């Protein structure tokens, strides 16, 4: 199954994001348990706070569907989302 690298670029409303971080982390944990999120975590704040998620999905549309269920999506704390298909050659996510 294809692997996708998703980059979240967070907006300036840090208070709302931090308030809802437990729900966001719970969503990530459930997606990880299901085998959809392979890895995730925050990026440093330079130049802008964000997060990186590595997902396994059939296609770009499926990734978008999963991301729509992230509690952060409905709160407006994500300023921009980049979704790119990624072909890992080495490491735990490499495929054949």
């Amino acid at each position: 199954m294809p692997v996708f690298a998703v980059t979240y670029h967070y907006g300036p409303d840090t208070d709302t994001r931090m308030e809802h971080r437990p729900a966001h982390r719970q969503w990530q944990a459930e997606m990880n348990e299901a085998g959809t999120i392979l890895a995730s975590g925050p990026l440093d704040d330079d130049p802008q706070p964000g997060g990186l998620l590595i997902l396994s999905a059939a296609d770009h549309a499926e990734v978008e569907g999963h991301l729509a269920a992230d509690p952060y999506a409905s709160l407006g704390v994500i300023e921009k989302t980049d979704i790119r298909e990624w072909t890992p050659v080495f490491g735990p996510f490499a495929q054949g």
Side-chain angles (χ1 to χ4, degrees):
M1 185 162 307
V3 176
F4 293 84
V6 175
T7 306
Y8 281 169
H9 304 266
Y10 296 132
D13 190 353
T14 303
D15 291 340
T16 298
R17 183 166 44 90
M18 291 298 106
E19 178 184 344
H20 295 277
R21 184 181 244 177
H24 167 71
R25 293 264 173 100
Q26 179 61 39
W27 170 79
Q28 288 181 320
E30 291 168 6
M31 296 288 287
N32 178 256
E33 175 107 2
T36 303
I37 287 183
L38 305 176
S40 66
L43 297 168
D44 66 31
D45 290 350
D46 186 24
Q48 178 177 12
L52 176 66
L53 300 89
I54 306 297
L55 285 86
S56 176
D59 55 30
H60 196 274
E62 184 178 339
V63 172
E64 289 177 335
H66 290 309
L67 298 178
D70 182 348
Y72 278 0
S74 63
L75 295 169
V77 298
I78 303 169
E79 190 172 272
K80 180 181 170 195
T81 302
D82 295 317
I83 303 170
R84 297 183 68 182
E85 189 166 344
W86 179 47
T87 305
V89 177
F90 297 103
F93 311 125
Q95 299 174 6

